[in-house]
Amino acid sequence: MAILNVSLRGTAASTSSSSLPSWPHLSNSVPFSLSKKPVIAKFPNTTILSPPKLRLQASFGKKTRASLSATMATGGQEVLPPALTSTSDPPPLFDGKTRLYISYHCPYAQRAWISRNCKGLEENIQLVPIDLQDRPAWYKEKVYPPNKVPSLEHNNEVKGESLDLIRYIDSHFEGPSLFPDDPAKREFAEELLSYTDSFNKSVFASFKEDGTKAAAGAAFDYLETALSKFEDGPFFLGTFSLVDIAYAPFLERFQPFSLEVKKYDITAGRPKLAAWFEEMNKNLAYKKTQA
């Protein structure tokens, strides 16, 4: 049986607990993961507020897409560094290197990690994993005062918020474009990216003890309909994009938890969503982030 651990403001919940901590709002940097321990999940009554509106500041230029699938399908397994703890020394900050601060088990951080991999930037953006249960004080004091992940150290600045970062990585680094040029697809992409918080809110609510399958069902039906809009591929915009990256870390956790704990198959009767999972699992750049 799986347990879905949710905690706020970048603090990981203990996998040994049989219940989840109460949480006042859904942060844009909530680490949660699935444990294989036989623990029954209990969801307290919660109030979930949407995070602030997305800051859409990145500009998107035209980039080649020809090498996208090749980038995602090549390269060996990256040797992942150990997570830094309260006793770890900080990296040499602002020395010209670009660093992506993550937690291996945070879905928000995974968004930025996937984007980095899909752009083929493993050698250009260094991963700096943080142990959120024993986080180093220097991370808040010297790197990112909000004390959340992900954050990106680039050009002597540190930026945060996962949806902003995946746009930034796509628009400021070389590699295949992860955002469409087609105006209709760009417009639909904005709609889907704006829906991510509402989607997560609906699914989390259904996972509470008194939650119903109908609440989650409507959210997954929305995705099924969205996946039917474009016919030039199995992804949300037809071809693989930032939209898939935004949803993947959550869907990969919701699917097994829903099946094991709620006895609810989110792909049943949703062939487009089932095909999306199948195609995503062929993406090696994404698979490498499933730590």
Side-chain angles (χ1 to χ4, degrees):
M1 184 175 293
I3 179 170
L4 188 66
N5 292 326
V6 184
S7 61
L8 268 286
R9 303 185 187 279
T11 303
S14 171
T15 57
S16 61
S17 173
S18 61
S19 63
L20 298 176
S22 60
W23 27 288
H25 71 284
L26 181 62
S27 164
N28 197 23
S29 298
V30 178
F32 69 67
S33 60
L34 290 172
S35 168
K36 294 182 180 179
K37 296 181 179 181
V39 182
I40 298 176
K42 296 182 180 180
F43 288 77
N45 293 328
T46 57
T47 300
I48 310 174
L49 304 177
S50 298
K53 292 182 180 180
L54 302 179
R55 297 192 297 274
L56 307 181
Q57 298 176 342
S59 61
F60 297 88
K62 293 185 177 180
K63 301 174 187 172
T64 178
R65 294 176 175 274
S67 60
L68 180 57
S69 59
T71 299
M72 293 190 296
T74 58
Q77 185 65 38
E78 182 178 7
V79 178
L80 300 177
L84 301 182
T85 69
S86 59
T87 61
S88 302
D89 293 328
L93 303 175
F94 307 117
D95 61 349
K97 290 186 178 180
T98 301
R99 297 180 175 89
L100 178 62
Y101 296 85
I102 65 168
S103 165
Y104 287 135
H105 303 295
C106 172
Y108 294 97
Q110 190 180 358
R111 285 172 168 172
W113 187 5
I114 296 169
S115 299
R116 167 227 193 221
N117 288 2
C118 288
K119 298 284 286 186
L121 298 170
E122 289 90 336
E123 295 183 1
N124 301 89
I125 300 179
Q126 177 185 351
L127 285 183
V128 183
I130 300 294
D131 184 340
L132 296 178
Q133 292 181 315
D134 184 25
R135 75 187 69 196
W138 51 257
Y139 181 65
K140 178 179 181 179
E141 295 168 356
K142 299 181 179 180
V143 179
Y144 192 51
N147 206 24
K148 302 186 297 183
V149 296
S151 68
L152 182 73
E153 177 190 341
H154 182 235
N155 286 344
N156 293 319
E157 295 181 342
V158 177
K159 304 177 182 295
E161 299 301 326
S162 64
L163 291 177
D164 292 339
L165 282 187
I166 64 175
R167 293 172 178 272
Y168 184 89
I169 290 172
D170 186 43
S171 62
H172 286 76
F173 293 88
E174 294 183 357
S177 176
L178 299 173
F179 204 78
D181 295 324
D182 180 80
K185 290 190 175 184
R186 290 172 69 91
E187 181 179 359
F188 194 50
E190 299 295 353
E191 176 184 330
L192 291 174
L193 290 172
S194 297
Y195 177 66
T196 56
D197 294 321
S198 297
F199 171 75
N200 290 330
K201 174 182 176 180
S202 297
V203 177
F204 279 132
S206 75
F207 284 169
K208 295 191 299 182
E209 283 186 310
D210 58 349
T212 64
K213 294 180 181 178
F220 293 120
D221 285 343
Y222 180 95
L223 298 190
E224 179 71 12
T225 301
L227 286 164
S228 305
K229 185 174 180 65
F230 298 104
E231 298 181 352
D232 55 337
F235 301 105
F236 283 105
L237 303 182
T239 54
F240 182 80
S241 72
L242 293 179
V243 177
D244 303 289
I245 291 174
Y247 281 92
F250 296 90
L251 286 171
E252 77 172 46
R253 290 161 170 82
F254 291 157
Q255 183 187 34
F257 181 85
S258 181
L259 187 61
E260 292 185 36
V261 176
K262 295 303 226 180
K263 308 303 178 185
Y264 175 51
D265 182 359
I266 66 174
T267 63
R270 300 184 182 96
K272 296 290 187 180
L273 185 58
W276 180 88
F277 272 109
E278 183 178 354
E279 291 302 315
M280 283 298 298
N281 285 327
K282 297 176 183 177
N283 184 329
L284 297 185
Y286 160 61
K287 294 288 287 182
K288 291 176 183 179
T289 69
Q290 295 177 318

